Amino acid sequence: MEDIICPYPWDCGKTIEPKKLSKHDYDFLSSASGKKMIFMIIHCPECSREFKFNTVQWKSDKFGYSDPNITIEKKGKTIKQLTAILDRAKVDIPLAYFDYLISGEFDSQISIFSNEENFNLYDLNQLCEKINVDGTSYLTISQLKGFVHSLLEITDGISPKGQDLNYKDISNCLTIGSENTKLLCIDYRDQNSLWIFHPDGGDIERISVTLENIIKRQNLNK
């Protein structure tokens, strides 16, 4: 197999020999190459960060990290403009949470697990920003559609047995925050239950915290 280049040039960007990957990542890469997978997650053995990898193009890409030395000034859109973006994308944010997002009470930091880092909740502007998932652009709030599309290609359209939500259900959930690469999303069926989606393996776990808890800042840090 050819060498791989770490996609984080600001403090790594090193050329990696596949045999220097962890055993898990090397075995995964070998299997993915045979299946010609266009989306997988592996770790750089030099800087330990996760990154996306396309075995067909043999190309790595950033995953959840950006150059800390580059500051991009973003001009926020008005609530009317953001609402129009959501309407065009046919995205319906639960009304109580939408009101919370545009209120002065919104707090982007949320502690869900006492022994883990806080999750960062996206504000309304961030939810409406575009994100690239496997070569296709999605709104941040709808990014699970992109991850699920790639997972369905890998699994030939079959969801894992025993998983609480199938991939079709997951794709309809709205992403509202993240912690590292973990994504916090709203169950579209009751618009209150919350799940954590793990893009690196396609797993999803339900948490005891609900959207109502976040809005009212109650029963957190469980």
Side-chain angles (χ1 to χ4, degrees):
M1 289 187 284
E2 297 178 20
D3 291 346
I4 296 170
I5 298 176
C6 173
Y8 306 113
W10 58 85
D11 64 357
C12 186
K14 296 182 179 179
T15 299
I16 307 163
E17 294 181 58
K19 64 181 181 181
K20 290 187 177 180
L21 296 170
S22 67
K23 183 179 185 305
H24 175 273
D25 282 357
Y26 182 81
D27 291 344
F28 188 16
L29 179 63
S30 298
S31 174
S33 298
K35 297 177 182 178
K36 296 183 178 181
M37 290 170 54
I38 61 174
F39 174 82
M40 62 178 295
I41 302 292
I42 52 180
H43 301 73
C44 173
E46 299 293 337
C47 67
S48 300
R49 294 190 186 97
E50 295 175 313
F51 61 87
K52 296 185 289 185
F53 194 72
N54 182 326
T55 66
V56 175
Q57 298 179 348
W58 207 255
K59 180 181 178 182
S60 56
D61 197 5
K62 302 177 186 66
F63 185 70
Y65 303 94
S66 57
D67 189 343
N69 300 312
I70 298 177
T71 302
I72 301 175
E73 186 176 346
K74 296 181 179 179
K75 184 178 180 180
K77 293 181 173 63
T78 66
I79 294 175
K80 183 177 180 180
Q81 290 172 322
L82 295 171
T83 301
I85 291 173
L86 294 170
D87 287 343
R88 285 196 297 271
K90 297 181 179 179
V91 173
D92 291 319
I93 298 178
L95 183 58
Y97 190 64
F98 182 87
D99 289 341
Y100 176 62
L101 286 169
I102 63 176
S103 74
E105 301 298 319
F106 176 72
D107 186 346
S108 64
Q109 295 297 304
I110 184 82
S111 177
I112 293 178
F113 303 112
S114 59
N115 59 340
E116 295 184 13
E117 295 293 326
N118 286 351
F119 271 74
N120 179 64
L121 297 177
Y122 303 128
D123 61 30
L124 190 57
N125 265 288
Q126 292 170 321
L127 290 172
C128 295
E129 290 175 354
K130 291 186 177 181
I131 183 172
N132 186 293
V133 181
D134 201 17
T136 302
S137 180
Y138 299 88
L139 295 184
T140 294
I141 194 171
S142 302
Q143 63 182 288
L144 289 185
K145 293 185 182 298
F147 287 113
V148 168
H149 177 75
S150 296
L151 289 168
L152 288 174
E153 286 187 339
I154 296 170
T155 61
D156 294 324
I158 301 173
S159 298
K161 291 183 179 179
Q163 185 157 283
D164 292 323
L165 289 182
N166 61 39
Y167 284 151
K168 182 179 179 181
D169 288 332
I170 294 172
S171 70
N172 289 319
C173 293
L174 302 179
T175 302
I176 61 170
S178 64
E179 189 279 304
N180 198 352
T181 59
K182 298 191 288 287
L183 301 176
L184 181 66
C185 52
I186 306 171
D187 193 325
Y188 77 98
R189 298 170 301 179
D190 64 12
Q191 298 193 338
N192 188 45
S193 301
L194 297 177
W195 300 78
I196 294 175
F197 178 72
H198 301 266
D200 53 348
D203 300 322
I204 191 163
E205 58 176 312
R206 186 167 183 167
I207 59 176
S208 59
V209 174
T210 66
L211 194 64
E212 183 179 8
N213 292 151
I214 289 180
I215 296 170
K216 295 182 178 180
R217 292 280 155 171
Q218 296 176 341
N219 301 321
L220 302 177
N221 199 18
K222 297 295 184 180

mmCIF file of all heavy atoms in Angstrom, residues 42-87:
data_model
loop_
_atom_site.group_PDB
_atom_site.id
_atom_site.type_symbol
_atom_site.label_atom_id
_atom_site.label_comp_id
_atom_site.label_asym_id
_atom_site.label_seq_id
_atom_site.Cartn_x
_atom_site.Cartn_y
_atom_site.Cartn_z
ATOM 1 N N ILE A 42 -9.553 6.848 10.210
ATOM 2 C CA ILE A 42 -8.367 6.261 10.813
ATOM 3 C C ILE A 42 -7.632 7.335 11.611
ATOM 4 O O ILE A 42 -7.968 8.515 11.533
ATOM 5 C CB ILE A 42 -7.427 5.632 9.757
ATOM 6 C CG1 ILE A 42 -7.106 6.623 8.627
ATOM 7 C CG2 ILE A 42 -8.021 4.363 9.187
ATOM 8 C CD1 ILE A 42 -6.196 6.041 7.563
ATOM 9 N N HIS A 43 -6.626 6.926 12.377
ATOM 10 C CA HIS A 43 -5.901 7.850 13.247
ATOM 11 C C HIS A 43 -4.457 8.013 12.767
ATOM 12 O O HIS A 43 -3.815 7.030 12.399
ATOM 13 C CB HIS A 43 -5.871 7.333 14.690
ATOM 14 C CG HIS A 43 -7.214 7.127 15.294
ATOM 15 N ND1 HIS A 43 -8.045 6.076 14.935
ATOM 16 C CD2 HIS A 43 -7.879 7.840 16.234
ATOM 17 C CE1 HIS A 43 -9.161 6.151 15.641
ATOM 18 N NE2 HIS A 43 -9.093 7.202 16.431
ATOM 19 N N CYS A 44 -3.986 9.237 12.804
ATOM 20 C CA CYS A 44 -2.590 9.502 12.463
ATOM 21 C C CYS A 44 -1.712 9.001 13.619
ATOM 22 O O CYS A 44 -1.928 9.397 14.765
ATOM 23 C CB CYS A 44 -2.359 10.994 12.244
ATOM 24 S SG CYS A 44 -0.612 11.425 12.008
ATOM 25 N N PRO A 45 -0.742 8.136 13.354
ATOM 26 C CA PRO A 45 0.106 7.624 14.445
ATOM 27 C C PRO A 45 1.061 8.686 14.993
ATOM 28 O O PRO A 45 1.645 8.495 16.055
ATOM 29 C CB PRO A 45 0.869 6.484 13.760
ATOM 30 C CG PRO A 45 0.919 6.872 12.322
ATOM 31 C CD PRO A 45 -0.392 7.553 12.047
ATOM 32 N N GLU A 46 1.194 9.811 14.285
ATOM 33 C CA GLU A 46 2.102 10.868 14.732
ATOM 34 C C GLU A 46 1.413 11.868 15.649
ATOM 35 O O GLU A 46 1.902 12.183 16.727
ATOM 36 C CB GLU A 46 2.678 11.602 13.514
ATOM 37 C CG GLU A 46 3.481 10.722 12.579
ATOM 38 C CD GLU A 46 4.778 10.222 13.213
ATOM 39 O OE1 GLU A 46 5.258 10.873 14.152
ATOM 40 O OE2 GLU A 46 5.301 9.188 12.761
ATOM 41 N N CYS A 47 0.229 12.402 15.210
ATOM 42 C CA CYS A 47 -0.466 13.421 16.016
ATOM 43 C C CYS A 47 -1.714 12.871 16.713
ATOM 44 O O CYS A 47 -2.368 13.592 17.468
ATOM 45 C CB CYS A 47 -0.838 14.624 15.148
ATOM 46 S SG CYS A 47 -2.092 14.299 13.878
ATOM 47 N N SER A 48 -2.050 11.607 16.428
ATOM 48 C CA SER A 48 -3.173 10.894 17.082
ATOM 49 C C SER A 48 -4.557 11.403 16.685
ATOM 50 O O SER A 48 -5.556 10.933 17.219
ATOM 51 C CB SER A 48 -3.044 10.959 18.620
ATOM 52 O OG SER A 48 -1.831 10.362 19.030
ATOM 53 N N ARG A 49 -4.639 12.380 15.749
ATOM 54 C CA ARG A 49 -5.949 12.875 15.348
ATOM 55 C C ARG A 49 -6.626 11.910 14.368
ATOM 56 O O ARG A 49 -5.971 11.208 13.607
ATOM 57 C CB ARG A 49 -5.842 14.245 14.681
ATOM 58 C CG ARG A 49 -5.364 15.364 15.585
ATOM 59 C CD ARG A 49 -5.534 16.690 14.868
ATOM 60 N NE ARG A 49 -4.970 17.794 15.611
ATOM 61 C CZ ARG A 49 -3.766 18.296 15.407
ATOM 62 N NH1 ARG A 49 -2.985 17.771 14.477
ATOM 63 N NH2 ARG A 49 -3.322 19.313 16.117
ATOM 64 N N GLU A 50 -7.973 11.920 14.414
ATOM 65 C CA GLU A 50 -8.734 11.148 13.444
ATOM 66 C C GLU A 50 -8.812 11.922 12.132
ATOM 67 O O GLU A 50 -8.837 13.148 12.124
ATOM 68 C CB GLU A 50 -10.153 10.902 13.959
ATOM 69 C CG GLU A 50 -10.218 10.035 15.201
ATOM 70 C CD GLU A 50 -11.630 9.922 15.741
ATOM 71 O OE1 GLU A 50 -12.308 10.973 15.846
ATOM 72 O OE2 GLU A 50 -12.062 8.812 16.053
ATOM 73 N N PHE A 51 -8.862 11.204 11.019
ATOM 74 C CA PHE A 51 -9.097 11.855 9.737
ATOM 75 C C PHE A 51 -9.826 10.905 8.798
ATOM 76 O O PHE A 51 -9.835 9.681 8.990
ATOM 77 C CB PHE A 51 -7.787 12.356 9.098
ATOM 78 C CG PHE A 51 -6.765 11.287 8.797
ATOM 79 C CD1 PHE A 51 -6.788 10.578 7.596
ATOM 80 C CD2 PHE A 51 -5.758 11.010 9.710
ATOM 81 C CE1 PHE A 51 -5.831 9.611 7.319
ATOM 82 C CE2 PHE A 51 -4.794 10.044 9.438
ATOM 83 C CZ PHE A 51 -4.838 9.345 8.241
ATOM 84 N N LYS A 52 -10.503 11.502 7.816
ATOM 85 C CA LYS A 52 -11.230 10.721 6.818
ATOM 86 C C LYS A 52 -10.257 10.196 5.774
ATOM 87 O O LYS A 52 -9.249 10.837 5.479
ATOM 88 C CB LYS A 52 -12.302 11.589 6.140
ATOM 89 C CG LYS A 52 -13.392 12.071 7.066
ATOM 90 C CD LYS A 52 -14.482 12.812 6.306
ATOM 91 C CE LYS A 52 -13.992 14.153 5.816
ATOM 92 N NZ LYS A 52 -15.086 14.946 5.178
ATOM 93 N N PHE A 53 -10.591 9.039 5.213
ATOM 94 C CA PHE A 53 -9.727 8.499 4.161
ATOM 95 C C PHE A 53 -10.561 7.829 3.079
ATOM 96 O O PHE A 53 -11.524 7.114 3.369
ATOM 97 C CB PHE A 53 -8.725 7.500 4.737
ATOM 98 C CG PHE A 53 -7.612 7.166 3.777
ATOM 99 C CD1 PHE A 53 -6.623 8.105 3.505
ATOM 100 C CD2 PHE A 53 -7.572 5.946 3.126
ATOM 101 C CE1 PHE A 53 -5.604 7.823 2.599
ATOM 102 C CE2 PHE A 53 -6.569 5.654 2.226
ATOM 103 C CZ PHE A 53 -5.573 6.594 1.962
ATOM 104 N N ASN A 54 -10.196 8.120 1.832
ATOM 105 C CA ASN A 54 -10.853 7.557 0.652
ATOM 106 C C ASN A 54 -9.869 6.566 0.028
ATOM 107 O O ASN A 54 -8.822 6.959 -0.487
ATOM 108 C CB ASN A 54 -11.198 8.683 -0.327
ATOM 109 C CG ASN A 54 -11.933 8.196 -1.561
ATOM 110 O OD1 ASN A 54 -11.685 7.091 -2.053
ATOM 111 N ND2 ASN A 54 -12.832 9.019 -2.078
ATOM 112 N N THR A 55 -10.191 5.271 0.081
ATOM 113 C CA THR A 55 -9.245 4.267 -0.413
ATOM 114 C C THR A 55 -9.222 4.188 -1.944
ATOM 115 O O THR A 55 -8.279 3.633 -2.503
ATOM 116 C CB THR A 55 -9.583 2.875 0.140
ATOM 117 O OG1 THR A 55 -10.846 2.445 -0.381
ATOM 118 C CG2 THR A 55 -9.641 2.893 1.662
ATOM 119 N N VAL A 56 -10.242 4.737 -2.603
ATOM 120 C CA VAL A 56 -10.259 4.727 -4.070
ATOM 121 C C VAL A 56 -9.311 5.789 -4.596
ATOM 122 O O VAL A 56 -8.459 5.531 -5.455
ATOM 123 C CB VAL A 56 -11.691 4.951 -4.610
ATOM 124 C CG1 VAL A 56 -11.676 5.051 -6.139
ATOM 125 C CG2 VAL A 56 -12.599 3.812 -4.171
ATOM 126 N N GLN A 57 -9.438 7.007 -4.086
ATOM 127 C CA GLN A 57 -8.543 8.104 -4.475
ATOM 128 C C GLN A 57 -7.230 8.077 -3.686
ATOM 129 O O GLN A 57 -6.290 8.776 -4.021
ATOM 130 C CB GLN A 57 -9.234 9.448 -4.260
ATOM 131 C CG GLN A 57 -10.483 9.650 -5.091
ATOM 132 C CD GLN A 57 -11.139 11.000 -4.826
ATOM 133 O OE1 GLN A 57 -10.807 11.694 -3.875
ATOM 134 N NE2 GLN A 57 -12.080 11.370 -5.681
ATOM 135 N N TRP A 58 -7.197 7.250 -2.649
ATOM 136 C CA TRP A 58 -6.065 7.161 -1.712
ATOM 137 C C TRP A 58 -5.722 8.552 -1.203
ATOM 138 O O TRP A 58 -4.626 9.065 -1.322
ATOM 139 C CB TRP A 58 -4.849 6.527 -2.368
ATOM 140 C CG TRP A 58 -3.973 5.842 -1.346
ATOM 141 C CD1 TRP A 58 -2.783 6.290 -0.854
ATOM 142 C CD2 TRP A 58 -4.261 4.609 -0.663
ATOM 143 N NE1 TRP A 58 -2.299 5.414 0.093
ATOM 144 C CE2 TRP A 58 -3.184 4.375 0.224
ATOM 145 C CE3 TRP A 58 -5.303 3.694 -0.714
ATOM 146 C CZ2 TRP A 58 -3.136 3.254 1.056
ATOM 147 C CZ3 TRP A 58 -5.268 2.573 0.104
ATOM 148 C CH2 TRP A 58 -4.197 2.365 0.973
ATOM 149 N N LYS A 59 -6.750 9.170 -0.609
ATOM 150 C CA LYS A 59 -6.646 10.556 -0.195
ATOM 151 C C LYS A 59 -7.216 10.745 1.209
ATOM 152 O O LYS A 59 -8.281 10.233 1.527
ATOM 153 C CB LYS A 59 -7.410 11.447 -1.184
ATOM 154 C CG LYS A 59 -7.377 12.924 -0.848
ATOM 155 C CD LYS A 59 -8.186 13.725 -1.856
ATOM 156 C CE LYS A 59 -8.204 15.203 -1.510
ATOM 157 N NZ LYS A 59 -9.042 15.980 -2.465
ATOM 158 N N SER A 60 -6.471 11.479 2.035
ATOM 159 C CA SER A 60 -6.933 11.783 3.391
ATOM 160 C C SER A 60 -7.554 13.168 3.420
ATOM 161 O O SER A 60 -7.244 14.022 2.586
ATOM 162 C CB SER A 60 -5.757 11.707 4.371
ATOM 163 O OG SER A 60 -4.702 12.561 3.965
ATOM 164 N N ASP A 61 -8.433 13.397 4.406
ATOM 165 C CA ASP A 61 -9.089 14.694 4.527
ATOM 166 C C ASP A 61 -9.356 14.970 5.997
ATOM 167 O O ASP A 61 -9.477 14.054 6.812
ATOM 168 C CB ASP A 61 -10.408 14.690 3.742
ATOM 169 C CG ASP A 61 -10.927 16.101 3.486
ATOM 170 O OD1 ASP A 61 -10.224 17.065 3.839
ATOM 171 O OD2 ASP A 61 -12.031 16.231 2.936
ATOM 172 N N LYS A 62 -9.444 16.245 6.337
ATOM 173 C CA LYS A 62 -9.652 16.663 7.729
ATOM 174 C C LYS A 62 -10.986 16.137 8.249
ATOM 175 O O LYS A 62 -11.936 15.968 7.501
ATOM 176 C CB LYS A 62 -9.616 18.187 7.841
ATOM 177 C CG LYS A 62 -8.318 18.813 7.347
ATOM 178 C CD LYS A 62 -8.401 20.329 7.430
ATOM 179 C CE LYS A 62 -7.185 20.997 6.824
ATOM 180 N NZ LYS A 62 -7.092 20.770 5.357
ATOM 181 N N PHE A 63 -11.025 15.937 9.561
ATOM 182 C CA PHE A 63 -12.255 15.462 10.184
ATOM 183 C C PHE A 63 -12.389 16.075 11.571
ATOM 184 O O PHE A 63 -11.856 15.579 12.548
ATOM 185 C CB PHE A 63 -12.257 13.937 10.286
ATOM 186 C CG PHE A 63 -13.546 13.362 10.815
ATOM 187 C CD1 PHE A 63 -14.695 13.399 10.054
ATOM 188 C CD2 PHE A 63 -13.608 12.792 12.079
ATOM 189 C CE1 PHE A 63 -15.888 12.873 10.542
ATOM 190 C CE2 PHE A 63 -14.798 12.268 12.567
ATOM 191 C CZ PHE A 63 -15.941 12.305 11.793
ATOM 192 N N GLY A 64 -13.084 17.219 11.635
ATOM 193 C CA GLY A 64 -13.361 17.842 12.927
ATOM 194 C C GLY A 64 -12.265 18.734 13.477
ATOM 195 O O GLY A 64 -12.358 19.205 14.605
ATOM 196 N N TYR A 65 -11.193 18.972 12.702
ATOM 197 C CA TYR A 65 -10.115 19.830 13.173
ATOM 198 C C TYR A 65 -9.806 20.881 12.126
ATOM 199 O O TYR A 65 -9.846 20.605 10.925
ATOM 200 C CB TYR A 65 -8.844 19.015 13.449
ATOM 201 C CG TYR A 65 -9.031 17.889 14.433
ATOM 202 C CD1 TYR A 65 -9.317 16.599 13.989
ATOM 203 C CD2 TYR A 65 -8.938 18.104 15.800
ATOM 204 C CE1 TYR A 65 -9.501 15.556 14.884
ATOM 205 C CE2 TYR A 65 -9.115 17.069 16.707
ATOM 206 C CZ TYR A 65 -9.401 15.788 16.238
ATOM 207 O OH TYR A 65 -9.577 14.764 17.127
ATOM 208 N N SER A 66 -9.481 22.082 12.551
ATOM 209 C CA SER A 66 -9.118 23.153 11.629
ATOM 210 C C SER A 66 -7.876 23.870 12.149
ATOM 211 O O SER A 66 -7.547 23.795 13.339
ATOM 212 C CB SER A 66 -10.272 24.154 11.466
ATOM 213 O OG SER A 66 -10.643 24.693 12.715
ATOM 214 N N ASP A 67 -7.194 24.555 11.273
ATOM 215 C CA ASP A 67 -5.949 25.238 11.616
ATOM 216 C C ASP A 67 -6.227 26.324 12.660
ATOM 217 O O ASP A 67 -6.933 27.296 12.387
ATOM 218 C CB ASP A 67 -5.345 25.863 10.356
ATOM 219 C CG ASP A 67 -3.942 26.415 10.596
ATOM 220 O OD1 ASP A 67 -3.580 26.613 11.769
ATOM 221 O OD2 ASP A 67 -3.231 26.641 9.603
ATOM 222 N N PRO A 68 -5.704 26.188 13.879
ATOM 223 C CA PRO A 68 -5.959 27.184 14.931
ATOM 224 C C PRO A 68 -5.307 28.530 14.647
ATOM 225 O O PRO A 68 -5.621 29.524 15.301
ATOM 226 C CB PRO A 68 -5.357 26.521 16.181
ATOM 227 C CG PRO A 68 -4.277 25.637 15.642
ATOM 228 C CD PRO A 68 -4.816 25.107 14.344
ATOM 229 N N ASN A 69 -4.394 28.563 13.684
ATOM 230 C CA ASN A 69 -3.693 29.810 13.371
ATOM 231 C C ASN A 69 -4.462 30.683 12.386
ATOM 232 O O ASN A 69 -4.086 31.817 12.131
ATOM 233 C CB ASN A 69 -2.311 29.501 12.792
ATOM 234 C CG ASN A 69 -1.450 28.717 13.761
ATOM 235 O OD1 ASN A 69 -1.345 29.076 14.924
ATOM 236 N ND2 ASN A 69 -0.871 27.619 13.289
ATOM 237 N N ILE A 70 -5.522 30.138 11.822
ATOM 238 C CA ILE A 70 -6.305 30.886 10.840
ATOM 239 C C ILE A 70 -7.615 31.333 11.474
ATOM 240 O O ILE A 70 -8.410 30.519 11.935
ATOM 241 C CB ILE A 70 -6.605 30.039 9.584
ATOM 242 C CG1 ILE A 70 -5.294 29.658 8.883
ATOM 243 C CG2 ILE A 70 -7.523 30.787 8.631
ATOM 244 C CD1 ILE A 70 -5.487 28.762 7.678
ATOM 245 N N THR A 71 -7.838 32.612 11.519
ATOM 246 C CA THR A 71 -9.076 33.172 12.063
ATOM 247 C C THR A 71 -9.930 33.684 10.913
ATOM 248 O O THR A 71 -9.499 34.529 10.134
ATOM 249 C CB THR A 71 -8.786 34.328 13.042
ATOM 250 O OG1 THR A 71 -7.957 33.842 14.102
ATOM 251 C CG2 THR A 71 -10.087 34.878 13.615
ATOM 252 N N ILE A 72 -11.124 33.146 10.811
ATOM 253 C CA ILE A 72 -12.032 33.563 9.750
ATOM 254 C C ILE A 72 -13.188 34.342 10.368
ATOM 255 O O ILE A 72 -13.926 33.821 11.209
ATOM 256 C CB ILE A 72 -12.594 32.342 8.977
ATOM 257 C CG1 ILE A 72 -11.435 31.551 8.357
ATOM 258 C CG2 ILE A 72 -13.571 32.789 7.904
ATOM 259 C CD1 ILE A 72 -11.868 30.277 7.671
ATOM 260 N N GLU A 73 -13.305 35.573 9.978
ATOM 261 C CA GLU A 73 -14.384 36.406 10.497
ATOM 262 C C GLU A 73 -15.659 36.136 9.706
ATOM 263 O O GLU A 73 -15.691 36.286 8.482
ATOM 264 C CB GLU A 73 -14.019 37.885 10.387
ATOM 265 C CG GLU A 73 -15.030 38.805 11.042
ATOM 266 C CD GLU A 73 -14.608 40.255 11.014
ATOM 267 O OE1 GLU A 73 -13.429 40.522 10.727
ATOM 268 O OE2 GLU A 73 -15.470 41.110 11.276
ATOM 269 N N LYS A 74 -16.659 35.692 10.394
ATOM 270 C CA LYS A 74 -17.915 35.351 9.732
ATOM 271 C C LYS A 74 -18.991 36.371 10.084
ATOM 272 O O LYS A 74 -19.177 36.720 11.248
ATOM 273 C CB LYS A 74 -18.386 33.953 10.151
ATOM 274 C CG LYS A 74 -17.423 32.845 9.717
ATOM 275 C CD LYS A 74 -17.931 31.490 10.135
ATOM 276 C CE LYS A 74 -16.989 30.377 9.690
ATOM 277 N NZ LYS A 74 -17.459 29.043 10.120
ATOM 278 N N LYS A 75 -19.665 36.832 9.069
ATOM 279 C CA LYS A 75 -20.747 37.778 9.278
ATOM 280 C C LYS A 75 -22.039 37.003 9.454
ATOM 281 O O LYS A 75 -22.459 36.243 8.584
ATOM 282 C CB LYS A 75 -20.852 38.723 8.072
ATOM 283 C CG LYS A 75 -21.898 39.810 8.248
ATOM 284 C CD LYS A 75 -21.916 40.738 7.046
ATOM 285 C CE LYS A 75 -22.966 41.838 7.236
ATOM 286 N NZ LYS A 75 -22.997 42.741 6.064
ATOM 287 N N GLY A 76 -22.649 37.183 10.617
ATOM 288 C CA GLY A 76 -23.863 36.441 10.905
ATOM 289 C C GLY A 76 -25.045 36.916 10.083
ATOM 290 O O GLY A 76 -25.178 38.097 9.758
ATOM 291 N N LYS A 77 -25.898 35.968 9.745
ATOM 292 C CA LYS A 77 -27.119 36.291 9.010
ATOM 293 C C LYS A 77 -28.218 36.645 10.004
ATOM 294 O O LYS A 77 -28.145 36.331 11.201
ATOM 295 C CB LYS A 77 -27.547 35.101 8.154
ATOM 296 C CG LYS A 77 -26.582 34.770 7.009
ATOM 297 C CD LYS A 77 -27.110 33.597 6.199
ATOM 298 C CE LYS A 77 -26.272 33.351 4.951
ATOM 299 N NZ LYS A 77 -24.882 32.979 5.263
ATOM 300 N N THR A 78 -29.241 37.286 9.516
ATOM 301 C CA THR A 78 -30.379 37.630 10.364
ATOM 302 C C THR A 78 -31.214 36.377 10.612
ATOM 303 O O THR A 78 -31.106 35.380 9.879
ATOM 304 C CB THR A 78 -31.265 38.696 9.699
ATOM 305 O OG1 THR A 78 -31.859 38.135 8.518
ATOM 306 C CG2 THR A 78 -30.443 39.929 9.326
ATOM 307 N N ILE A 79 -32.050 36.440 11.633
ATOM 308 C CA ILE A 79 -32.922 35.310 11.941
ATOM 309 C C ILE A 79 -33.840 35.010 10.755
ATOM 310 O O ILE A 79 -34.084 33.847 10.419
ATOM 311 C CB ILE A 79 -33.758 35.603 13.207
ATOM 312 C CG1 ILE A 79 -32.832 35.687 14.430
ATOM 313 C CG2 ILE A 79 -34.818 34.522 13.424
ATOM 314 C CD1 ILE A 79 -33.529 36.084 15.708
ATOM 315 N N LYS A 80 -34.300 36.065 10.074
ATOM 316 C CA LYS A 80 -35.163 35.885 8.911
ATOM 317 C C LYS A 80 -34.422 35.140 7.804
ATOM 318 O O LYS A 80 -34.972 34.228 7.171
ATOM 319 C CB LYS A 80 -35.654 37.242 8.398
ATOM 320 C CG LYS A 80 -36.625 37.144 7.231
ATOM 321 C CD LYS A 80 -37.127 38.519 6.826
ATOM 322 C CE LYS A 80 -38.114 38.421 5.659
ATOM 323 N NZ LYS A 80 -38.607 39.775 5.263
ATOM 324 N N GLN A 81 -33.170 35.499 7.570
ATOM 325 C CA GLN A 81 -32.369 34.834 6.539
ATOM 326 C C GLN A 81 -32.107 33.376 6.908
ATOM 327 O O GLN A 81 -32.167 32.486 6.053
ATOM 328 C CB GLN A 81 -31.043 35.574 6.351
ATOM 329 C CG GLN A 81 -31.177 36.933 5.697
ATOM 330 C CD GLN A 81 -29.865 37.707 5.703
ATOM 331 O OE1 GLN A 81 -29.104 37.656 6.668
ATOM 332 N NE2 GLN A 81 -29.593 38.417 4.611
ATOM 333 N N LEU A 82 -31.807 33.133 8.179
ATOM 334 C CA LEU A 82 -31.533 31.767 8.628
ATOM 335 C C LEU A 82 -32.782 30.900 8.551
ATOM 336 O O LEU A 82 -32.717 29.729 8.173
ATOM 337 C CB LEU A 82 -30.985 31.789 10.055
ATOM 338 C CG LEU A 82 -29.624 32.481 10.217
ATOM 339 C CD1 LEU A 82 -29.281 32.655 11.697
ATOM 340 C CD2 LEU A 82 -28.534 31.684 9.518
ATOM 341 N N THR A 83 -33.925 31.494 8.890
ATOM 342 C CA THR A 83 -35.187 30.759 8.796
ATOM 343 C C THR A 83 -35.480 30.381 7.347
ATOM 344 O O THR A 83 -35.963 29.277 7.065
ATOM 345 C CB THR A 83 -36.345 31.613 9.359
ATOM 346 O OG1 THR A 83 -36.071 31.945 10.722
ATOM 347 C CG2 THR A 83 -37.656 30.849 9.299
ATOM 348 N N ALA A 84 -35.157 31.282 6.431
ATOM 349 C CA ALA A 84 -35.365 31.007 5.002
ATOM 350 C C ALA A 84 -34.480 29.853 4.543
ATOM 351 O O ALA A 84 -34.904 29.006 3.734
ATOM 352 C CB ALA A 84 -35.066 32.258 4.183
ATOM 353 N N ILE A 85 -33.246 29.793 5.046
ATOM 354 C CA ILE A 85 -32.339 28.695 4.704
ATOM 355 C C ILE A 85 -32.906 27.366 5.182
ATOM 356 O O ILE A 85 -32.912 26.365 4.451
ATOM 357 C CB ILE A 85 -30.949 28.938 5.331
ATOM 358 C CG1 ILE A 85 -30.254 30.113 4.652
ATOM 359 C CG2 ILE A 85 -30.076 27.674 5.219
ATOM 360 C CD1 ILE A 85 -28.956 30.526 5.329
ATOM 361 N N LEU A 86 -33.409 27.345 6.391
ATOM 362 C CA LEU A 86 -33.996 26.126 6.943
ATOM 363 C C LEU A 86 -35.246 25.713 6.171
ATOM 364 O O LEU A 86 -35.466 24.526 5.905
ATOM 365 C CB LEU A 86 -34.333 26.329 8.418
ATOM 366 C CG LEU A 86 -33.138 26.525 9.363
ATOM 367 C CD1 LEU A 86 -33.614 26.953 10.741
ATOM 368 C CD2 LEU A 86 -32.316 25.251 9.451
ATOM 369 N N ASP A 87 -36.050 26.702 5.799
ATOM 370 C CA ASP A 87 -37.267 26.405 5.039
ATOM 371 C C ASP A 87 -36.933 25.789 3.680
ATOM 372 O O ASP A 87 -37.580 24.832 3.241
ATOM 373 C CB ASP A 87 -38.095 27.683 4.840
ATOM 374 C CG ASP A 87 -38.782 28.142 6.114
ATOM 375 O OD1 ASP A 87 -38.888 27.324 7.049
ATOM 376 O OD2 ASP A 87 -39.199 29.310 6.179
#
